[in-house]
């Protein structure tokens, strides 16, 4: 008889975003005339930058000639894209990152889960709470946890609450942990981390021989010049950190799929025999075996992000979404709600009014204002009583959503 991976049975009833979709679809079917505005899932709405579209068109033409046709590309990504990334995203900020330490992929969501392939099953894992669900669920699937309790916490994780009381920054654990997931600017709270805060984490990781898995998917939304965009701006990070980046929100590639992961050659882990092993070589082996690379056409589009035209167009995109975030913050604050984030990140984290639970507020907002957000409890126990609103939408929809919300939920 064929058996299954029983670890999947430990997962909570539904992954957060499919559960949101289920509730919205049920409501939409019962109320076909309702004009639903979706500010829940962090999907972008504005077109790809013109520079990227032009590059894709040229790349399609390349595929039409035997002389320029591309079949299988390098699993690590084309050298010309990796070199542009190293120069523009890291060298320009004083970070030491070589092009061959950069691995092009189809999404940082995928990479933050797939990275577990190169680590052992006996690591102690720390996650923030609330947390991007993929970090937790992929560890559950891999068998790194025990059962889930009534609060939604899995046995085997070290949870690091990030709350208003600690300014939504992750505090150092009091015990030794091996793998540490950090995401700044943070999804879902919109919080950021200072250089001093990240330095404390790097110091901890080096002292405890830990690895930081640093998700910087939203770094492009940072406008404060004092805040770091990369963990490699922090002294010693090359010895203890892997960084994940994405073109999805930065340049609108959510439907096009392109991202990258940085694994420094100086980064090592321990084999069972006690020897040091270079993680960069393990990740290279994993990608070469399980991944065929991102398409030539998409990588050419990503390369165009670093052209003068592409940089200007991406800057305009970021400004557009951050203007949306500013409007959300201001309107909800005017309505008397407690609001966090939305300054150096595209997410606004809202305290639910009148003592409503996160899912009760979700349902009330959907049914009375026809607006969709994301329940904070879906990101972890510490997210209960909060709600995430995304700035990724058209200006018209954001304005209308704020009008409806402030009209229905003025405190």
């Amino acid at each position: 008889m064929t058996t299954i991976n029983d670890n999947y049975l430990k997962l909570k009833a539904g992954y957060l975003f499919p559960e949101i979709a289920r509730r919205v679809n049920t409501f939409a079917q019962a109320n076909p005339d309702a004009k639903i505005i979706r500010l829940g899932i962090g999907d972008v709405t504005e077109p790809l930058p013109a520079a990227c579209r032009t590059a894709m068109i040229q790349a399609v033409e390349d595929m039409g000639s035997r002389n320029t046709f591309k079949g299988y590309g390098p699993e690590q990504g084309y050298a010309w894209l990796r070199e542009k990334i190293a120069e523009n995203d890291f060298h320009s900020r004083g970070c030491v990152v070589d092009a061959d330490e950069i691995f092009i992929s189809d999404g940082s969501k995928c990479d933050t889960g797939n990275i577990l392939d190169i680590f052992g099953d006996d690591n102690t894992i720390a996650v923030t709470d609330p947390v991007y669900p993929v970090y937790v669920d992929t560890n559950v699937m891999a068998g790194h946890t025990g059962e889930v309790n009534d609060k939604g916490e899995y046995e085997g994780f070290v949870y690091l609450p990030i709350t208003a009381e600690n300014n939504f920054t992750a505090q150092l654990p009091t015990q030794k942990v091996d793998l540490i997931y950090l995401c700044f600017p943070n999804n879902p709270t919109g919080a950021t981390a200072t250089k001093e805060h990240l330095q404390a984490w790097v110091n901890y990781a080096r002292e405890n021989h830990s690895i930081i898995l640093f998700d910087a998917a939203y770094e492009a939304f940072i406008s404060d010049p004092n805040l770091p965009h990369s963990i490699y701006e922090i002294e010693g990070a090359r010895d203890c950190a892997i960084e994940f980046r994405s073109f999805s929100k930065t340049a609108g590639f959510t439907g096009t799929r392109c991202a990258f992961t940085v694994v420094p050659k100086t980064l090592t882990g321990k084999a069972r025999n006690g020897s040091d092993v270079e993680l960069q070589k393990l990740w290279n082996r994993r990608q070469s075996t399980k991944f065929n690379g991102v398409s030539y056409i998409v990588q050419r589009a990503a390369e165009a992000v670093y052209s003068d035209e592409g940089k200007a167009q991406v800057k305009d995109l970021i400004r557009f979404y951050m203007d949306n975030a500013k409007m959300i913050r201001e309107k909800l604050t005017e309505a008397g709600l407690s609001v966090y984030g939305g300054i150096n990140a595209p997410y606004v984290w809202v305290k639910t009014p009148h003592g409503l639970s996160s899912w009760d507020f979700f349902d009330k907002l959907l049914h009375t204002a026809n607006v969709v957000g994301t329940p904070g409890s879906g990101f972890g126990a510490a997210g209960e009583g909060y709600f995430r609103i995304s700035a990724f939408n058209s200006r018209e929809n954001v304005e209308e959503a704020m009008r409806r919300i402030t009209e229905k939920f003025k405190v």
Side-chain angles (χ1 to χ4, degrees), residues 302-338:
E303 181 192 31
V305 167
Y306 300 105
S307 67
D308 289 341
E309 297 85 354
K311 289 178 181 178
Q313 291 159 12
V314 166
K315 189 175 181 179
D316 286 343
L317 266 182
I318 299 294
R319 184 185 301 112
F320 175 84
Y321 290 125
M322 290 312 298
D323 284 347
N324 280 353
K326 182 174 183 287
M327 181 190 306
I328 293 169
R329 276 184 57 89
E330 291 177 349
K331 294 298 183 183
L332 296 184
T333 299
E334 288 173 10
L337 296 170
S338 296

Side-chain angles (χ1 to χ4, degrees), residues 185 190 218 221 249 321-322 325 328 342 344-348 389-392:
Y218 300 96
F221 294 87
K249 313 299 168 57
Y321 290 125
M322 290 312 298
I328 293 169
N344 291 288
Y347 296 123
V348 177
I389 296 181
S390 167
F392 294 117

Side-chain angles (χ1 to χ4, degrees), residues 169-226:
T169 55
Q171 304 304 298
L172 298 178
T174 56
Q175 65 193 93
K176 182 184 183 302
V177 298
D178 303 304
L179 290 177
I180 304 158
Y181 286 87
L182 295 179
C183 174
F184 291 105
N186 186 252
N187 178 15
T189 69
T192 53
T194 64
K195 288 183 178 179
E196 292 75 18
H197 185 69
L198 290 183
Q199 186 68 67
W201 271 106
V202 167
N203 293 345
Y204 171 92
R206 295 181 72 188
E207 290 168 4
N208 290 278
H209 305 289
S210 312
I211 299 294
I212 297 171
L213 303 176
F214 190 75
D215 188 345
Y218 300 96
E219 60 79 28
F221 294 87
I222 295 174
S223 58
D224 186 338
N226 297 313

